[in-house]
Amino acid sequence: MTALSTRPGPCPPVPEPRPDLGHVSTGLLERGPALDLLAADAHRAVNGSGRLVLFRAPTGTGRSALLDAAAEIGAGTGMRVLRAYASPESSGAPLALVRQLLGLPHDPGGPHDHGAHHPGHESRLWQSLRDHAARSPLLLAVDDAHLADRASRRWLAEGARRLTGLPVLMVVTERGQYDIAPAAPGLAYSLPPGVVRMHAVAPLSRPAAEELVRTALGPDTGGAWVDGCVRAGAGNPLLLRALLDDLRAVLPHGVRAGSAQGGTERALPEHCAELYPGGFVTAVSWWLRSAGEGTTAVARAVAELEDAARYDDGECGSPDGSGVLGTRSGPSLDDAPYRGRAPGGEFSCFLSELTHTDPDRVDGWITAMTGLGLLRRAPGTNVPRFAHPLLRGAVLDGWPRSDRQALHLRAAELRRRRGHGAEAVAGHLLRTAPGSAEHGADTLLDAAAAASRSGRPGAAARYLRRALDEPLEQTRRARVLTELGELEFATLRAGGIPRLTEALRLQKEPRERVLAAVRLGSALAGRGTPRAALDVMRELGPLDEEPALARTVQTASAFFSDHDPAIRRAVHTRLRDRAGHSPEGISPALHALLIRYDSTAGLLSAESAVRQMRQLLSAPEDPLLVPYLLGTAAAVAQWADASDDAERIVGSGLDEHGLSPLHPAHRSLLDTRLDTAAARGRHRWVLEETDRRARVPGDSTRTGASNLLAHRVIALVECGRPAEAERLVGGVEVGAAGNDREENRFLYARGVLRASTGDHAGALADFRECGRRQAGRDVENPAVTPWRSAAAESLLLLGHTPEAFALAEEENRYADVWGTPRVRGRALRVLGAATGGRRGLELTAEAVGLLRNASLDVELVPALITHGLQLTATGQSRSARPLLREAATTAERLGSVRLSNRAELALSASGARRRNAAHTGRDSLTAGERRVAALAADGRTNAEISELLHLARRTVETHLTSTYRKLGIRRRLDLPAALKTDTPKPT
C-alpha cells in the first residue's frame, strides 16, 4: 500500500467534555465500558488522533448495536459517519467492503476501473479517505469484518497503522467465538497495541438478563418464567430479545404474570412450536449459520442425543436407568466410559467420531459454550446438555428426520464397535429407520432380555416393539410377539391380547400352539372374559395324538373357568364324572383341581386334602402340568395351616420352573405367597410386596378389585393406617354379576376396613355380599373367606344377637369339617361371643387353648381379647388381665396396631393400668439378654452359651425366660424371627 503523500491539516481541538451517553445506552445493558471507550476515542479522533476500535464478540451479543451506538456518538461529536456491512455475498469482490465504506461505486470494466489489484487502486482509495477527512472528522463504522474479502481486511488493518494524526476513528466489529472449525486470524492480530483498542463483548450477566426479561414482560412476571427465559437466552441479547418478542406475541400478559399475582401461572413453553411465528428459532438458526458447519453438526448431535432421552419412556438406556446427557433415560452416554470428563473426555471423542470433527476442537467448543451459558454440565456426570429445552428444540428445528436417523445409526455402530452393551446400542436403533442396521433385530432382542433381567419391563417392551419392525422369520416373530404380549399385559390396561392373538396365528407346531393359546387364554381370563379364554382353547381342536398337550389344555381351561361360577361348576362336574369312569385319564394336576374344589365346597377335611395332595405331588407328572399341580397344592396347603409346605411349594413353582407372568399357575402361586404371609401376621412384608407389585402401571388386575388390593387394605388396617386404606378402596367399583373371585376377596377386605372405622352396617353389607357371591361359586370353607364370623361380629355390635348366633353356628359347622385350629379357633371365638354366659366363656376359653397350642398368634390375639372381655364382664377382672396383657404383647410383636389398640382398651376396661411399652419388645432386652438370645437364635445350647459367656447355666436359663416373656414367644425356634422384628410402640 502506498503512503499518503500529504496529510490534511489538523482539526481544531474540541474542548467540550465527554458527551452525555444516556440516550445512546438505552437498551444496551452492561455496555458501559464499551460506550466509555467509544466516547473517549471519538473525542481523541476529533482532536486529530485517530485509531482503530475493534469489538470482538460471539454472534448475538450486540456487536451491531455497539456499532450503532458508535455512529450516534460520532455524530454527536460532529463527526461524519461512513458505514459498511460485510456479508458472505460480497466477499468475492476484492475491496468491495472499502468501496462500500467510502461510497465509491464498483463499475467493473469502466474507464476508471483498473482492477482491484492495480498498483494505484489502493492509493486512490486512500486519497478518497483523505478527501473525506479533510472536509470533517470521520467515523468509519464497519460491521462483521470477518466476512469481508481478504483485500478489504488487509486495507483496514494497514489503514489502522496510518490513522495517527488523522481525525478518523475506525470502529470495526468481528465475530470472536470458539467454533469447531478454527477461525481465520482476527483483524488486529498483527497490529501493535498503540493503534488498536480491542474490546471483548461479554454475554449479559444474570441480573442484567433478568432485568431485560422483566422490562419486556412486566415487573410482575413470575420467577419461574424469568429463570426459564434467562436460561433459554443464555445471556445472549439476540436470543433473549427474540424469545421475549415471541412470548409477547403468542401469550397474554396475565398468563405470564399469574404466579406473582397469586393466580395460576402457565409454565414457560418447552417446545418451539409454541413460539411461532418463530423469531427465537430464526435467531438460533442464524447463530448456527454463523458458527459454521462443524459447530452446527456437533450442536445438533448434542441436542438430538439429549432429545432422544427426553422423549424416552423413562426406562430405556443404561441398566441403572441413567441416560444421555445427564437425563434419566435414553440411548445412554451417561454410563462409563462416557461421563463428561473435561477436557479430553471420552464423550468428546465419541462426538468427534460421530460428527467427523477434531476431538480437541469438540472438547474446546463444549467448554466455550458452557462458559457462554448455552450448555450446562449435568450434575454428577459432567455430560453437556443445553441450558433449556427451547434452546435444544431450536437447534433441531428444521433438521430433517432422515439426518437424525442417520446420526443414531452412526452412534449405534460406534458403540457396537466399542463393545458397549446391547441396551446402549439398541437405544440408538430405536430411532433409526427399520432395516437400516446390520443385525438390528439381534441387538434389540438382546437389549430386551437385558432390560427384563434388570426389572424394567417398559424398556423391554419398547425394544421388542421396535424389533417387530425388522425383518424376522415367522417362528421368531411369533416368539417376539408372545414376549411382547406378556409385557404389555403387565403394563397396559388393554395391552397384550392383540400381540398374543397374532402370535398364536403364526405358530404351526402343536406344542407351541398350545402354549401360545394358554398365554392368550390367561390374558383374556385376567381381563374378565373367561368364556373367550375357553373359546381359544376349544379352537385348538382335537389333540388325540398329543395326550400331554390335551391334558394341558384341559387343566388350563379348568383354571380359566375359576373366573366364572357357572363354568367352574360345569367344568368340575365333567372332571368328576371322567374321574369316576376312567380315573387313569385324569392327571395329578386335574385330580388336584378336584381336591381344591371339594375343599372349598366344605366337602373335605384339611387332613384328607393335604394327604391326597402329598400323594399327587409324589406321583409322576408331565413337566407341562407340574406348575398347575404346584399352584393348586400350595393353595390347599395354605388353607390347611401347612404354611411351611405352602411356602416351599410356592418357591419351587416360581424359582425352579421359570413361569411366565401369563402362565395360569403364576398368579395363583403369587397369591398363595401373599395369603401365607398374611396368615402369619407379616403385615409389613405384605405392604412391601403389594406396593412392589402395584407399581406396574395400568394393570387393572392390580388397580381394581383384586386379591392384591384386598391384602393391602387389610395390612394397612392392621398397621393402623385406615385412612390410606380408605383412599385405596374409594374409587374401586365391584361388578354386579359376582363372577370374579378376586372381587369377593375385595369385598371381604373392604368390610374389614369399614368395621375398623366403626361403620358396622357398611361392613355387614360387604360381608353378606361376599358370602352370597362365594355361595354362588360353591365356596363354603371358612379357610378361604371367613365372612360368616366377620358378619356375626358386626351383627353383635349392631345388637342383632340371634342373627349373629345363627351365622356363628353355621361357621362352626363348616370349621369342624375342615378341622384346622385356625378356622375352629376363630369360629369358637365368635360363637362364644354370640352365645354369652357361662357357655360363651367355655367356648372362648376353648378357642384360646386351641390357638395357643397351634402357635397361631394372628387368631390367638382376638381370642384372648374376647375371652378377657367376657371375664371382665362377669367380674373376673383379675383373671382377665394376664390374658389381655398377653394379647397386647403379642399384638405389639406382630406389628398389629389395630389389635394392640383393642387389647389396650380391654385392659383399661379390666381396671389395669396402661402397660409400659418399654417393658416389652426387642428394645426392652438388657445387654445380657441380647447376648444370650443372639447365641440361642444361632442354635447354641444352654451349655454352650454358659461356656462361651462364662455364665452359670441357671443364669442363661433366667435370661432366656425373661427374653421369651418380653418378646411374647414361647419357644426357642421363635427367637430368630422375634429378634429381627422391628416392633412398633403401641399407640
Side-chain angles (χ1 to χ4, degrees):
M1 184 178 292
T2 58
L4 292 173
S5 56
T6 60
R7 293 174 182 253
C11 296
V14 179
E16 56 193 271
R18 190 187 93 176
D20 180 15
L21 299 177
H23 69 288
V24 177
S25 63
T26 302
L28 293 177
L29 296 174
E30 295 187 325
R31 299 299 182 246
L35 296 175
D36 290 342
L37 171 63
L38 286 171
D41 280 335
H43 184 74
R44 186 172 180 269
V46 167
N47 284 285
S49 182
R51 64 172 151 196
L52 169 65
V53 174
L54 179 64
F55 290 116
R56 287 178 57 84
T59 299
T61 48
R63 299 191 309 264
S64 299
L66 281 174
L67 204 64
D68 293 339
E72 286 193 53
I73 291 172
T77 55
M79 305 177 77
R80 184 183 176 195
V81 179
L82 302 179
R83 303 188 67 158
Y85 305 89
S87 67
E89 292 76 19
S90 64
S91 61
L95 293 173
L97 179 69
V98 181
R99 284 179 171 276
Q100 180 193 153
L101 179 67
L102 298 177
L104 300 175
H106 180 60
D107 185 17
H112 301 291
D113 182 24
H114 301 289
H117 301 292
H118 190 275
H121 189 68
E122 293 182 354
S123 296
R124 285 195 298 276
L125 293 176
W126 275 104
Q127 183 61 48
S128 177
L129 176 62
R130 186 182 64 177
D131 292 344
H132 282 297
R135 291 192 292 271
S136 71
L138 288 179
L139 187 141
L140 305 179
V142 179
D143 204 6
D144 290 340
H146 58 285
L147 298 176
D149 61 275
R150 184 176 300 177
S152 292
R153 288 174 57 82
R154 187 175 64 249
W155 190 91
L156 292 173
E158 185 62 27
R161 299 175 185 272
R162 300 172 180 273
L163 293 182
T164 302
L166 287 176
V168 178
L169 175 63
M170 186 185 296
V171 182
V172 178
T173 70
E174 68 178 4
R175 190 172 190 271
Q177 180 173 298
Y178 191 102
D179 293 317
I180 301 300
L187 186 64
Y189 83 101
S190 63
L191 296 177
V195 301
V196 61
R197 294 285 296 276
M198 189 169 67
H199 183 83
V201 183
L204 296 178
S205 67
R206 185 175 182 87
E210 290 178 351
E211 178 186 345
L212 183 59
V213 173
R214 287 201 162 93
T215 299
L217 302 183
D220 55 352
T221 302
W225 269 70
V226 173
D227 176 70
C229 290
V230 169
R231 288 190 291 113
N236 187 300
L238 172 70
L239 302 186
L240 187 52
R241 290 182 189 279
L243 173 62
L244 297 174
D245 288 344
D246 284 347
L247 292 174
R248 281 188 305 223
V250 301
L251 292 175
H253 174 75
V255 171
R256 303 190 304 262
S259 67
Q261 296 175 345
T264 301
E265 180 186 20
R266 173 176 171 176
L268 179 70
E270 293 192 353
H271 300 277
C272 291
E274 298 182 64
L275 299 179
Y276 269 80
F280 180 72
V281 171
T282 301
V284 174
S285 298
W286 171 254
W287 173 76
L288 286 174
R289 285 196 301 273
S290 301
E293 292 184 1
T295 297
T296 300
V298 172
R300 283 174 170 169
V302 172
E304 173 59 25
L305 293 173
E306 182 182 350
D307 194 64
R310 180 174 184 267
Y311 287 99
D312 203 274
D313 66 0
E315 288 192 313
C316 294
S318 58
D320 62 357
S322 60
V324 64
L325 304 182
T327 59
R328 182 178 178 270
S329 61
S332 172
L333 297 178
D334 193 28
D335 41 13
Y338 283 89
R339 296 184 182 271
R341 301 185 300 273
E346 283 292 326
F347 181 75
S348 299
C349 294
F350 178 81
L351 274 181
S352 70
E353 286 191 65
L354 190 61
T355 56
H356 308 296
T357 48
D358 182 352
D360 292 333
R361 300 296 300 181
V362 169
D363 200 68
W365 178 82
I366 291 173
T367 301
M369 293 304 101
T370 303
L372 289 176
L374 292 158
L375 294 179
R376 293 184 173 188
R377 292 191 181 270
T381 65
N382 239 10
V383 175
R385 57 184 177 186
F386 280 91
H388 194 274
L390 284 173
L391 262 178
R392 180 185 64 243
V395 168
L396 292 173
D397 192 82
W399 198 30
R401 183 168 183 264
S402 58
D403 291 349
R404 298 168 79 160
Q405 290 177 329
L407 177 88
H408 282 291
L409 187 60
R410 294 197 303 273
E413 179 59 23
L414 276 174
R415 303 196 77 174
R416 187 189 65 79
R417 288 206 311 262
R418 293 181 176 215
H420 293 180
E423 284 202 77
V425 179
H428 295 287
L429 293 180
L430 290 173
R431 294 161 183 86
T432 60
S436 59
E438 187 179 3
H439 307 300
D442 294 337
T443 302
L444 289 162
L445 295 179
D446 289 344
S452 293
R453 286 193 299 269
S454 59
R456 292 177 296 114
R462 188 170 185 187
Y463 294 133
L464 291 172
R465 290 187 198 107
R466 178 61 180 77
L468 289 173
D469 295 333
E470 297 290 317
L472 292 172
E473 173 267 326
Q474 179 173 306
T475 303
R476 195 179 194 193
R477 179 173 294 275
R479 286 201 300 269
V480 174
L481 284 165
T482 299
E483 187 176 352
L484 178 58
E486 291 177 347
L487 289 172
E488 288 183 342
F489 177 82
T491 56
L492 301 174
R493 181 173 294 277
I497 292 175
R499 310 282 191 188
L500 296 167
T501 303
E502 185 180 357
L504 174 59
R505 181 179 59 80
L506 293 176
Q507 295 289 5
K508 301 303 179 186
E509 293 296 323
R511 176 185 171 91
E512 298 303 322
R513 281 184 55 77
V514 167
L515 295 179
V518 167
R519 291 187 178 93
L520 176 57
S522 184
L524 290 168
R527 293 290 182 245
T529 55
R531 293 181 184 273
L534 293 172
D535 288 341
V536 168
M537 306 308 291
R538 279 193 290 268
E539 288 171 3
L540 290 172
L543 295 165
D544 298 335
E545 297 181 1
E546 300 282 351
L549 295 181
R551 286 193 292 271
T552 300
V553 170
Q554 293 171 1
T555 309
S557 299
F559 265 76
F560 300 154
S561 72
D562 210 36
H563 294 266
D564 186 288
I567 301 175
R568 179 176 186 265
R569 188 178 295 113
V571 167
H572 283 83
T573 299
R574 286 197 299 270
L575 281 178
R576 187 173 288 106
D577 291 343
R578 188 179 304 163
H581 290 93
S582 54
E584 68 282 354
I586 299 294
S587 68
L590 286 170
H591 196 177
L593 286 173
L594 288 174
I595 295 171
R596 187 184 71 171
Y597 188 94
D598 289 344
S599 297
T600 59
L603 303 175
L604 276 182
S605 69
E607 181 182 1
S608 174
V610 169
R611 182 180 65 254
Q612 292 182 67
M613 280 294 181
R614 285 173 177 164
Q615 291 173 353
L616 293 175
L617 288 171
S618 62
E621 180 58 292
D622 188 274
L624 284 176
L625 294 172
V626 169
Y628 297 94
L629 175 59
L630 294 177
T632 307
V636 172
Q638 190 275 316
W639 296 331
D641 291 346
S643 299
D644 291 340
D645 287 346
E647 288 187 341
R648 177 181 53 79
I649 295 170
V650 168
S652 173
L654 294 176
D655 300 336
E656 298 175 15
H657 292 272
L659 301 181
S660 79
L662 283 180
H663 193 290
H666 184 264
R667 183 73 177 278
S668 176
L669 290 165
L670 290 179
D671 284 345
T672 299
R673 185 165 63 183
L674 271 178
D675 295 342
T676 305
R680 285 181 159 174
R682 297 173 58 194
H683 307 303
R684 292 181 180 175
W685 183 91
V686 169
L687 288 179
E688 291 173 1
E689 177 68 7
T690 54
D691 179 63
R692 182 186 65 80
R693 287 172 58 185
R695 285 178 186 173
V696 179
D699 186 354
S700 61
T701 63
R702 290 165 171 79
T703 56
S706 65
N707 186 51
L708 186 84
L709 180 60
H711 275 299
R712 183 162 185 82
V713 168
I714 293 176
L716 286 170
V717 169
E718 293 298 333
C719 291
R721 295 154 60 181
E724 292 180 53
E726 287 181 324
R727 286 195 294 271
L728 280 178
V729 305
V732 177
E733 296 183 1
V734 179
N739 291 342
D740 196 338
R741 59 186 174 85
E742 304 245 354
E743 289 186 347
N744 300 349
R745 294 191 179 194
F746 170 75
L747 281 169
Y748 177 79
R750 191 172 68 182
V752 171
L753 170 62
R754 287 175 169 175
S756 72
T757 59
D759 180 13
H760 300 295
L764 179 61
D766 278 341
F767 293 139
R768 279 178 164 163
E769 178 62 14
C770 173
R772 183 188 69 80
R773 291 167 177 248
Q774 291 290 61
R777 294 169 46 82
D778 297 333
V779 177
E780 304 289 358
N781 191 339
V784 181
T785 313
W787 67 270
R788 296 181 187 83
S789 293
E793 289 185 288
S794 294
L795 285 166
L796 287 173
L797 291 168
L798 291 170
H800 304 307
T801 304
E803 294 178 61
F805 181 79
L807 278 177
E809 270 198 321
E810 185 180 6
E811 179 101 324
N812 192 49
R813 288 196 299 272
Y814 280 112
D816 284 341
V817 172
W818 188 241
T820 61
R822 182 186 305 277
V823 296
R824 289 189 60 221
R826 183 195 302 120
L828 287 170
R829 168 177 63 82
V830 178
L831 182 59
T835 302
R838 180 179 298 177
R839 178 57 182 159
L841 271 174
E842 292 173 353
L843 291 171
T844 54
E846 185 181 353
V848 168
L850 188 64
L851 293 166
R852 180 179 282 147
N853 292 335
S855 298
L856 295 169
D857 291 338
V858 173
E859 293 297 338
L860 173 62
V861 173
L864 288 168
I865 294 172
T866 302
H867 189 52
L869 287 172
Q870 286 182 319
L871 289 171
T872 300
T874 59
Q876 303 178 62
S877 298
R878 181 170 297 181
S879 299
R881 288 168 194 157
L883 298 174
L884 296 174
R885 288 194 179 96
E886 181 185 354
T889 300
T890 306
E892 181 184 347
R893 179 175 54 78
L894 288 173
S896 176
V897 176
R898 181 182 71 88
L899 291 177
S900 182
N901 289 340
R902 283 189 59 196
E904 291 290 348
L905 289 174
L907 270 172
S908 297
S910 73
R913 287 184 294 180
R914 189 174 180 84
R915 291 181 312 122
N916 185 348
H919 292 165
T920 61
R922 188 181 61 179
D923 294 339
S924 67
L925 298 180
T926 65
E929 288 169 347
R930 285 179 181 275
R931 287 193 294 270
V932 171
L935 291 171
D938 284 340
R940 305 279 187 172
T941 65
N942 288 1
E944 290 173 331
I945 297 172
S946 173
E947 184 177 351
L948 285 170
L949 298 181
H950 305 288
L951 296 174
R953 288 187 61 175
R954 183 56 180 253
T955 303
V956 172
E957 293 168 0
T958 301
H959 278 330
L960 286 175
T961 300
S962 176
T963 298
Y964 294 167
R965 178 182 57 78
K966 290 180 179 180
L967 296 180
I969 60 177
R970 302 176 189 83
R971 54 184 181 174
R972 204 183 197 94
L973 292 177
D974 295 332
L975 267 175
L979 290 174
K980 291 178 182 177
T981 302
D982 186 14
T983 54
K985 300 293 184 291
T987 58

